[in-house]
Amino acid sequence: MLAELATPDGGHTLPIPGLFYAFAFLAIFYFFYNFRRALASRIGRPESRPFRWRSLLPNALYYGVAQRKVTSRRFGYASLTHLFLAWGFMELFFATSVVFLVERDLLTAWLPVKDTPWFAALNELGGLALLLGAAMALVRRHTSLRPDVLPQNSFGGRGSLLGDSGILWVLVLLAVGGFLTEAARLVIEAPASASASFVAYALTGALTAAGWSAVQPWLWWSHAALALTLIALLPQTKLFHSLLAIANAGLTDTRELAQLRPMHIAEMLADPDADPDALVLGAGKVDDFTWKQLLDAQTCTECGRCTEVCPAHAAGLPLSPMKIMQDMRRQLYDQVDGTGDGAALIGPHGISPEELWACTTCRACTDACPVLIDHIPAIIDMRRFLVLSEGKPPEDAAGSLEKTVQQGNPWGFPKEERTQWAADAGLEVPLMKDRESVEVLYWVGCAGAYDPRNQSVTRAMIAIFEAAGVDYAILGREERCTGDAARRMGEENVYETLAHENIATLDKYRFERIVTACPHCFQTLGRDYAQLGGRYEVLHHAEFLQQLMDAGRLPQGALEAGQVTFHDPCYLGRHSGQYDAPRDVIARSVTSGTPLEMAQAREESFCCGAGGGNMWYEVKGTERINLLRFDQALETGADTVATACSFCLIMMDDARKVRGMEETVAVKDIAELVAEGLAG
Amino acid sequence: MRICVLIKQLPDTGSALKIRADELWVDEDNLVFSANESDSYALEEALLMKEAQGGEVVVVSLGPERVGQVLKDALAKGADRAIHLHDPAWEVLDSLGLARIMAAVLKEEQCDLIFTGLQSDDTGDGQLGPMLAELLDMPHVTLVVETELSDGRIKVKQELEGGWFQYVTAQLPVLLTIQSGINKPRYASLRGIMAMKHKEIKAVGAGDLDLPADQWVAGRTLQRLYVPEKTKETVFLEGSPQEVGAALVDHLVNTAKVF
Ligand code: SF4
Ligand code: SF4
Ligand code: SF4
């Protein structure tokens, strides 16, 4: 829409006043002056994640410019809206640059000549797209957006001109003004291809030629002023996200999303000169985050998608991941600009501990975020501050953390009884310490060892190993909690202690791979331990069972379990990308075949509520996450709710009891479906 | 102000206990140990008082090498220094012997307040506090569920039986035995653990004390430790009320011999 601004002198064309150049210069100067806000994140700590040059450009283009994650089936209307807005905006920006160059006879060999019909038509489409997008956004913002996920005012809110609705109205004015200015030009210059500018051309009939000539300077100047003001203020408005998102996408290593940064506490403790008061333990202040984490917060577009998909939010718990990002950003700008009331980041005027503890680390937010923001590590860093620096884990969890250190399991059951499940069932299970080397080291896990419901899964796995003739052994009493819950609760010291012990134990033995039925153990053993030097090939039992079936080592089951639906555990699904293996295993072990899908399945799965340590304490909400999920399972009409995680199993089983469905619905781990098929 | 807290280390309540072959104690191999429950509350009460009034918290424990852990935990939570009483000669003690050793050590510390847990969860004697107070010639209050310190006096709420309480006011120095539940024991932060490494744990043995060896010879000895055998049995009497009544009388007179 800025295209007309650059018409050169001569003939019937309109003059460009020298004053315009002065204003343009000022606007651009102010834009760059304002742009320094982008560097606010430099007050953060150095980034410990390795920088990945190779992904810089591809990610900036794919996620930033092409906005791959903006487009989402779940947010169809918003995706379409953004598509129109963003591509309209970009087209017009591009067209304006082209016209500017063409008018000055620059690069003419590569650019369309003035008043090329297809180019004129394309620019009209750009204007229409912008107008349509802005209108769609306005409709949505004022009619259907849930008030609880509405943006929280950090850019002046939706009332203000720089805020959410104001900026949309500016875009509307810009588009309308552009069309009108173009209409006036068409009348005055009367180019041969005038009808190609089809929107403006249609408007030319609205006034007489004399009329257009009279209003032309007003139209032109108001349009120019609006455009230049927008450029000048862009870094202060919500539209700044368009630039930050490209930068942030380029600087994000998508493989690292949701992975917690190691703290290397063992080294801290070993350092005799370490000053306990000077150590940064977690993030209690905004500059305790790394610069990349602060850039994330700056980039947040306040779209609210994260909060809309957050299970804690859905259950009425006091958590909105969007608010977390906005509180971080507000603190950041307050600190950099020297404004603000100096209120603590974590506290009554910032982020409350309850918000932090409500997170199940389910990763729904991160996967939904269009601009690659990494919420979980930020939340856990603040938990680390609460626990490691302040000594304030959730009240109920303190005991569990202490027990985990003492007895090696978060329940605090005697460590001597870690293999009691085998003795009780009269099983002779091979132990690693009696074996030279094995193919599969089966990691039983605390739940598998102590929780009665999960002991049945462990026995099912043993039955499967025996039936398929797998060369396997377990660690027995040498196994300790992997520390997943402790780590997600921010207790990195307890986590590291357990991790170092387990790594030392594992490194004593020879095995080809570790198999576990717990996706939390799978995450810790397979990815977290690598940060501490423990590198193993780890398979979740879903994939392992699938491999056994593929190899024909298990009979295809014919278990009568009625209709089955599958609940995707967060750490198997979103965190590890395994959606098909468990479904395949189910389909091949029950007579009803392919499982039924819940409304929220696979990538969109809704957490069971146990992750992130939430198994061990409770943050009060209006509902319970596991009940919400169990009800979704019931809606499929399934007779059996299957899952593939120790804690999901406990949560679903509990929901089944609360709902009084013990007689009518079964809750099973996929290994149980396989093993019961063997028996039958 | 100096507050001394006595802490005992015990097998963790979650441990699976096995009786040692000599039937004189439990088998301590592979056992997990932790601080006696009410002692944790005593420590927390001392730390809260220090935070409110200033001063110093000194933790004291007697036992083998492993006891160092409860002292370290206490230091990590905020105690200022620790005294570890450790001597092979002190392996078997009764409450009085222990009280005399503690008295010899604490005399030098000149504590304004001494806190212990109400009783230890292993033998459950509950005697150390009162004995120690007598030996140090200071007043004591047992079963404390609330404290309020002001101007060198302390007002405490003491639990009596049957849901009754009483308030007692005492002049410092005084010894209190603390009931579980009086507060919420804190969690040791990593910052506290790092700070702990710079704090003093003083080792004290029999030779360091001005106390003749006959003073701790146990006057009470443990004969045998065993898991209680099942001695009671519930008998269900069936029939009409008359029959049941008759059977009951018969049972009481002839089998249980209560008359
Ligand atoms: S990880 Fe899950 S629970 Fe935590 S903020 Fe994100 S969506 Fe909410
Ligand atoms: S964090 Fe991401 S998903 Fe959440 S509001 Fe910001 S941009 Fe949207
Ligand atoms: S991560 Fe979970 S199941 Fe695995 S060992 Fe720890 S508590 Fe047990």
Side-chain angles (χ1 to χ4, degrees):
Chain A
M1 282 302 105
L2 307 179
E4 309 76 11
L5 301 181
T7 24
D9 300 0
H12 291 286
T13 54
L14 295 158
I16 288 194
L19 201 56
F20 172 74
Y21 283 111
F23 285 144
F25 178 77
L26 271 178
I28 290 169
F29 176 80
Y30 194 68
F31 170 86
F32 279 110
Y33 174 71
N34 250 336
F35 195 77
R36 77 195 190 291
R37 286 172 75 87
L39 304 177
S41 53
R42 72 184 178 282
I43 67 167
R45 285 159 31 93
E47 180 55 61
S48 58
R49 288 179 179 171
F51 187 67
R52 209 165 170 242
W53 287 103
R54 255 194 307 148
S55 61
L56 183 76
L57 200 60
N59 281 357
L61 291 176
Y62 187 64
Y63 295 107
V65 180
Q67 307 158 25
R68 176 58 193 87
K69 283 190 76 189
V70 174
T71 319
S72 127
R73 194 179 65 85
R74 198 167 187 181
F75 299 97
Y77 183 91
S79 306
L80 211 59
T81 305
H82 194 272
L83 210 78
F84 285 134
L85 270 175
W87 288 103
F89 195 82
M90 280 197 262
E91 196 285 327
L92 294 174
F93 180 77
F94 182 66
T96 309
S97 315
V98 168
V99 172
F100 181 85
L101 294 171
V102 169
E103 299 285 359
R104 274 152 203 76
D105 292 332
L106 296 165
L107 304 174
T108 42
W110 289 281
L111 298 174
V113 298
K114 187 170 157 101
D115 286 323
T116 303
W118 68 261
F119 188 59
L122 183 69
N123 299 346
E124 298 286 293
L125 285 177
L128 276 184
L130 183 67
L131 205 52
L132 182 63
M136 286 173 73
L138 280 167
V139 167
R140 177 169 185 264
R141 201 160 295 295
H142 291 285
T143 59
S144 66
L145 199 58
R146 284 163 46 189
D148 56 338
V149 291
L150 273 180
Q152 317 254 324
N153 254 350
S154 55
F155 273 120
R158 54 183 190 145
S160 104
L161 197 63
L162 299 184
D164 281 341
S165 295
I167 210 78
L168 291 168
W169 285 111
V170 170
L171 295 179
V172 170
L173 282 181
L174 208 55
V176 172
F179 282 129
L180 291 174
T181 315
E182 173 72 351
R185 184 187 76 92
L186 293 179
V187 171
I188 295 166
E189 292 185 1
S193 61
S195 64
S197 302
F198 56 95
V199 181
Y201 190 67
L203 294 172
T204 52
L207 291 178
T208 60
W212 280 117
S213 295
V215 295
Q216 194 276 337
W218 296 98
L219 288 175
W220 195 92
W221 271 109
S222 61
H223 187 57
L226 196 62
L228 290 181
T229 311
L230 187 65
I231 290 177
L233 297 182
L234 190 98
Q236 269 163 293
T237 69
K238 183 164 184 159
L239 294 186
F240 197 28
H241 82 261
S242 51
L243 301 174
L244 288 175
I246 297 173
N248 197 46
L251 295 168
T252 300
D253 181 349
T254 47
R255 299 168 313 172
E256 288 285 330
L257 283 175
Q259 305 303 314
L260 305 179
R261 292 167 178 81
M263 291 183 74
H264 301 296
I265 286 172
E267 286 158 36
M268 269 186 212
L269 285 167
D271 176 5
D273 304 324
D275 173 4
D277 295 324
L279 284 171
V280 177
L281 300 173
K285 304 192 289 352
V286 71
D287 50 11
D288 292 340
F289 290 104
T290 73
W291 63 264
K292 179 62 175 63
Q293 291 180 301
L294 296 180
L295 183 63
D296 271 1
Q298 277 189 281
T299 307
C300 174
T301 68
E302 303 169 66
C303 69
R305 288 186 187 185
C306 51
T307 298
E308 226 169 304
V309 300
C310 174
H313 186 78
L317 275 69
L319 170 63
S320 155
M322 175 173 76
K323 176 182 172 288
I324 302 271
M325 286 302 135
Q326 291 181 1
D327 284 343
M328 283 169 64
R329 175 171 57 198
R330 200 192 55 237
Q331 288 260 340
L332 171 66
Y333 284 150
D334 279 353
Q335 180 155 337
V336 172
D337 302 343
T339 53
D341 48 8
L345 173 67
I346 303 176
H349 299 292
I351 301 168
S352 71
E354 290 71 34
E355 287 173 57
L356 298 171
W357 293 118
C359 175
T360 68
T361 70
C362 75
R363 203 182 155 145
C365 50
T366 306
D367 280 11
C369 180
V371 295
L372 305 189
I373 285 172
D374 199 7
H375 311 74
I376 299 172
I379 291 172
I380 303 299
D381 280 344
M382 289 185 270
R383 288 184 180 183
R384 284 174 173 175
F385 169 77
L386 288 176
V387 176
L388 301 177
S389 181
E390 305 299 287
K392 292 207 173 72
E395 222 172 87
D396 324 339
S400 155
L401 287 168
E402 285 165 353
K403 297 282 178 210
T404 312
V405 179
Q406 290 162 347
Q407 304 286 6
N409 71 86
W411 278 279
F413 288 123
K415 60 179 182 179
E416 300 79 18
E417 293 175 7
R418 204 172 174 102
T419 48
Q420 197 62 36
W421 59 269
D424 288 350
L427 291 172
E428 285 282 339
V429 181
L431 292 172
M432 277 314 291
K433 69 175 164 62
D434 305 328
R435 299 295 307 273
E436 186 96 331
S437 78
V438 292
E439 200 183 306
V440 168
L441 186 157
Y442 183 58
W443 188 274
V444 177
C446 307
Y450 294 105
D451 172 60
R453 186 65 194 81
N454 280 288
Q455 286 173 343
S456 146
V457 180
T458 311
R459 287 192 294 268
M461 283 303 290
I462 301 301
I464 292 165
F465 288 139
E466 299 290 346
V470 176
D471 173 31
Y472 78 104
I474 64 169
L475 285 173
R477 288 186 207 166
E478 288 184 281
E479 184 185 286
R480 306 210 356 114
C481 177
T482 60
D484 159 73
R487 185 163 210 219
R488 265 92 209 149
M489 281 196 255
E491 215 337 339
E492 192 77 355
N493 186 28
V494 167
Y495 158 70
E496 262 196 37
T497 308
L498 296 164
H500 286 302
E501 286 173 3
N502 281 326
I503 291 172
T505 307
L506 288 169
D507 287 350
K508 284 196 306 199
Y509 294 120
R510 283 175 43 210
F511 50 87
E512 277 168 42
R513 62 187 64 90
I514 300 174
V515 171
T516 175
C518 173
H520 297 272
C521 298
F522 175 65
Q523 160 76 29
T524 351
L525 295 166
R527 277 186 296 232
D528 292 1
Y529 282 11
Q531 296 175 336
L532 300 174
R535 282 171 225 284
Y536 314 102
E537 184 191 333
V538 187
L539 279 187
H540 182 260
H541 74 328
E543 209 181 334
F544 179 72
L545 292 173
Q546 189 187 34
Q547 287 180 5
L548 288 183
M549 287 177 158
D550 286 346
R553 289 169 75 180
L554 284 175
Q556 301 286 312
L559 182 71
E560 294 286 352
Q563 290 292 334
V564 182
T565 187
F566 179 68
H567 161 70
D568 288 277
C570 308
Y571 275 85
L572 182 65
R574 275 188 297 269
H575 282 277
S576 311
Q578 287 188 29
Y579 301 106
D580 296 327
R583 286 176 169 77
D584 194 27
V585 170
I586 294 172
R588 288 151 87 175
S589 45
V590 298
T591 47
S592 54
T594 315
L596 302 172
E597 293 296 353
M598 295 185 225
Q600 284 182 261
R602 303 177 68 96
E603 291 84 352
E604 292 175 13
S605 172
F606 188 87
C607 178
C608 75
N614 275 266
M615 176 78 194
W616 309 106
Y617 56 84
E618 194 184 353
V619 181
K620 284 266 179 299
T622 50
E623 316 219 28
R624 283 173 54 199
I625 299 178
N626 62 337
L627 295 181
L628 295 179
R629 184 53 168 171
F630 188 68
D631 291 346
Q632 293 182 353
L634 291 183
E635 276 164 27
T636 62
D639 308 289
T640 297
V641 180
T643 187
C645 166
S646 311
F647 295 101
C648 297
L649 192 65
I650 295 175
M651 290 320 243
M652 288 300 112
D653 216 38
D654 172 64
R656 183 173 72 134
K657 289 195 189 104
V658 176
R659 288 285 184 252
M661 311 286 290
E662 283 152 288
E663 303 299 318
T664 43
V665 175
V667 170
K668 297 271 179 191
D669 186 90
I670 54 168
E672 293 175 309
L673 296 179
V674 175
E676 283 168 30
L678 292 176
Chain B
M1 189 171 66
R2 177 170 297 149
I3 312 174
C4 297
V5 184
L6 311 189
I7 302 180
K8 182 170 185 176
Q9 192 193 45
L10 302 174
D12 185 69
T13 42
S15 304
L17 298 179
K18 273 200 262 20
I19 294 184
R20 211 163 62 191
D22 66 4
E23 295 195 316
L24 289 178
W25 201 237
V26 294
D27 185 357
E28 294 195 347
D29 289 347
N30 291 318
L31 264 191
V32 172
F33 288 87
S34 56
N36 180 40
E37 191 189 13
S38 55
D39 294 349
S40 307
Y41 290 93
L43 171 65
E44 180 64 26
E45 199 61 14
L47 294 173
L48 290 173
M49 224 170 248
K50 174 184 118 171
E51 278 161 6
Q53 317 265 342
E56 185 192 31
V57 173
V58 183
V59 285
V60 188
S61 187
L62 183 145
E65 210 61 42
R66 59 173 160 79
V67 165
Q69 192 55 47
V70 292
L71 294 175
K72 283 182 185 168
D73 290 346
L75 294 175
K77 289 183 180 184
D80 299 278
R81 57 195 172 82
I83 300 173
H84 183 179
L85 302 166
H86 180 194
D87 198 297
W90 294 337
E91 204 178 318
V92 182
L93 295 171
D94 63 7
S95 301
L96 183 59
L98 178 60
R100 283 178 175 147
I101 296 167
M102 288 288 180
V105 176
L106 294 181
K107 216 167 11 214
E108 287 159 33
E109 288 292 336
Q110 298 286 330
C111 313
D112 299 289
L113 283 162
I114 298 176
F115 290 175
T116 73
L118 169 68
Q119 61 185 28
S120 61
D121 295 339
D122 53 357
T123 51
D125 296 332
Q127 295 177 338
L128 173 65
M131 284 178 171
L132 177 58
E134 284 308 309
L135 291 170
L136 291 173
D137 199 19
M138 58 166 76
H140 74 268
V141 188
T142 53
L143 273 161
V144 171
V145 293
E146 219 176 273
T147 67
E148 195 188 315
L149 187 68
S150 59
D151 304 329
R153 297 170 74 78
I154 190 160
K155 183 179 161 194
V156 303
K157 185 175 173 185
Q158 183 181 35
E159 190 178 299
L160 302 176
E161 279 173 28
W164 287 76
F165 295 94
Q166 73 181 7
Y167 285 98
V168 180
T169 307
Q171 196 77 39
L172 299 190
V174 60
L175 181 146
L176 307 179
T177 77
I178 305 286
Q179 171 69 299
S180 294
I182 183 172
N183 49 41
K184 297 214 166 71
R186 69 193 61 195
Y187 186 79
S189 67
L190 179 61
R191 212 179 279 293
I193 294 171
M194 305 278 293
M196 169 268 284
K197 296 196 300 172
H198 301 288
K199 292 178 180 174
E200 178 202 17
I201 301 183
K202 189 164 120 193
V204 174
D208 302 315
L209 295 183
D210 180 19
L211 190 69
D214 61 355
Q215 292 290 296
W216 64 71
V217 171
R220 179 191 69 186
T221 48
L222 183 67
Q223 300 287 303
R224 176 179 167 230
L225 189 73
Y226 62 98
V227 179
E229 282 130 34
K230 199 164 114 192
T231 53
K232 286 187 195 134
E233 208 174 329
T234 307
V235 180
F236 286 96
L237 304 173
E238 282 169 31
S240 68
Q242 285 82 0
E243 288 164 7
V244 171
L248 177 63
V249 170
D250 176 65
H251 191 84
L252 289 175
V253 174
N254 297 320
T255 313
K257 295 194 172 38
V258 290
F259 300 114

